[in-house]
């Protein structure tokens, strides 16, 4: 065996069982590098096919990140997450601080590559948006991954971008395996924007204003400056969601 971590799956149903740390000479490995295992994990924590699962090895711990955006329409307890099709439905959900999801431009065909757009009230709902064994990354976890990308691929966000669909900027090469499609976002008033030119993922963290604020934190990157950013956005906006393994 080699140092680092490996993934094990239940052979009968393809569900990820555990991530096991391997020690060498009784000492846990302390390395920082990007490893691409040949697995693709879907939003239900199941092995879909042999492909890449992004694994970030860090000092003392690791980050395993889904390579696809979430596209679940039910909370972890089985209750439906309300779909907001019209701009009025979407805006009303935000004003009432209720969870909602949408296809970009209400087009179901976008879900294959982009998953769904969720407001932050769906992310923060106590019924749980992330599948069992996964969680929505915190602000600090996104910063850690962004710092890692910056060190591993300096001034080159093309390494995390998908190889297709970037119509407003050049396509990426996806050397990292993160596979970021330009899925755009939905504003708090319900308009859809930036498909083909931008993408962003919610964090589980509120901004510094806490419950008094209307904003929460999200992770994105700049196609112009090739930098990774954790910033704040209105909680009623619709962004993509990626999960990290617990």
């Amino acid at each position: 065996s080699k140092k680092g971590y490996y993934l094990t799956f239940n052979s009968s149903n393809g569900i990820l069982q555990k991530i096991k740390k391997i020690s060498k000479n009784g000492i846990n490995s302390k390395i920082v590098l990007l490893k691409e295992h040949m697995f693709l994990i879907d939003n239900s924590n199941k092995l879909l096919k042999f492909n890449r699962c992004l694994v970030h090895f860090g000092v003392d711990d690791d980050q395993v990140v889904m390579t696809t955006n979430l596209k679940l329409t039910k909370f972890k307890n089985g209750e439906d997450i309300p779909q907001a099709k019209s701009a009025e439905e979407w805006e009303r959900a935000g004003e009432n601080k209720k969870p909602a999801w949408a296809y970009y431009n209400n087009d179901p065909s976008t879900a294959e590559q982009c998953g769904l757009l969720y407001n932050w009230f769906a992310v923060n709902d106590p019924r749980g948006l992330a599948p069992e064994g996964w969680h929505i990354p915190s602000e600090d976890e996104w910063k850690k991954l962004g710092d890692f990308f910056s060190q591993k691929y300096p001034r080159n966000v093309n390494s995390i971008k998908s190889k297709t669909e970037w119509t407003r900027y050049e396509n990426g090469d996806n050397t990292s395996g993160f596979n970021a499609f330009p899925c755009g976002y939905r504003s708090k008033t319900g308009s859809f924007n930036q498909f083909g030119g931008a993408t962003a993922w919610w964090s589980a963290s509120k901004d510094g204003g806490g419950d008094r604020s209307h904003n929460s934190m999200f992770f994105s990157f700049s196609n112009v400056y090739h930098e990774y950013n954790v910033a704040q956005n209105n909680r009623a906006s619709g962004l993509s969601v990626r999960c990290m393994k617990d």
Side-chain angles (χ1 to χ4, degrees):
S1 62
K2 58 184 179 180
K3 64 182 180 179
Y5 298 80
Y6 69 87
L7 312 180
T8 59
F9 291 85
N10 184 323
S11 59
S12 64
N13 59 19
I15 295 179
L16 178 65
Q17 291 181 310
K18 61 182 177 179
I19 303 166
K20 184 174 181 180
K21 182 182 291 187
I22 302 170
S23 299
K24 186 175 183 180
N25 299 325
I27 301 174
N28 289 334
S29 305
K30 292 187 177 181
I31 53 177
V32 179
L33 75 159
L34 198 68
K35 201 77 175 177
E36 294 174 12
H37 289 274
M38 299 306 291
F39 302 112
L40 177 63
I41 299 169
D42 74 358
N43 298 330
S44 300
N45 198 25
K46 293 183 179 180
L47 177 65
L48 283 181
K49 58 184 177 180
F50 287 102
N51 206 312
R52 292 177 180 148
C53 169
L54 184 70
V55 182
H56 166 209
F57 290 75
V59 176
D60 295 326
D61 61 3
D62 63 304
Q63 290 181 313
V64 179
V65 189
M66 287 182 176
T67 58
T68 56
N69 294 340
L70 209 63
K71 47 186 172 185
L72 298 179
T73 58
K74 293 181 181 293
F75 288 113
K76 194 185 303 184
N77 69 353
E79 294 183 32
D80 290 334
I81 307 169
Q83 181 183 7
K85 294 182 179 180
S86 70
E88 292 76 15
E89 289 174 321
W90 184 267
E91 187 171 15
R92 189 181 312 118
E95 290 173 346
N96 294 328
K97 300 182 179 181
K98 298 295 184 182
W101 68 267
Y103 299 112
Y104 186 91
N105 210 28
N106 290 316
D107 181 357
S109 69
T110 62
E112 178 66 24
Q113 292 178 327
C114 286
L116 307 179
L117 299 176
Y118 300 90
N119 65 17
W120 191 80
F121 304 109
V123 170
N124 192 50
D125 194 283
R127 289 169 287 185
L129 179 60
E132 191 69 35
W134 297 84
H135 64 275
I136 312 300
S138 68
E139 175 185 359
D140 288 342
E141 286 176 312
W142 276 127
K143 284 181 177 178
K144 180 177 179 179
L145 189 60
D147 288 345
F148 176 76
F149 284 144
S150 295
Q151 294 169 13
K152 182 71 175 179
Y153 308 103
R155 306 290 295 174
N156 181 21
V157 298
N158 288 340
S159 61
I160 76 166
K161 290 166 60 177
S162 61
K163 296 179 179 180
T164 61
E165 311 304 328
W166 286 89
T167 57
R168 300 188 184 182
Y169 299 94
E170 63 182 347
N171 286 317
D173 55 41
N174 194 33
T175 53
S176 71
F178 190 76
N179 207 29
F181 280 93
C183 299
Y185 62 90
R186 194 173 195 181
S187 74
K188 67 177 183 178
T189 58
S191 63
F192 295 96
N193 303 279
Q194 288 291 316
F195 191 88
T199 192
W201 301 270
W202 280 122
S203 84
S205 303
K206 302 172 183 177
D207 71 357
D211 290 330
R212 299 187 307 275
S213 173
H214 296 290
N215 297 327
S216 285
M217 309 306 293
F218 72 96
F219 175 74
S220 190
F221 56 87
S222 168
N223 280 285
V224 177
Y225 299 105
H226 287 262
E227 296 173 343
Y228 301 94
N229 309 303
V230 177
Q232 57 182 273
N233 200 359
N234 191 285
R235 294 172 187 169
S237 301
L239 304 181
S240 298
V241 171
R242 289 273 179 112
C243 297
M244 284 187 180
K245 195 79 180 77
D246 290 345

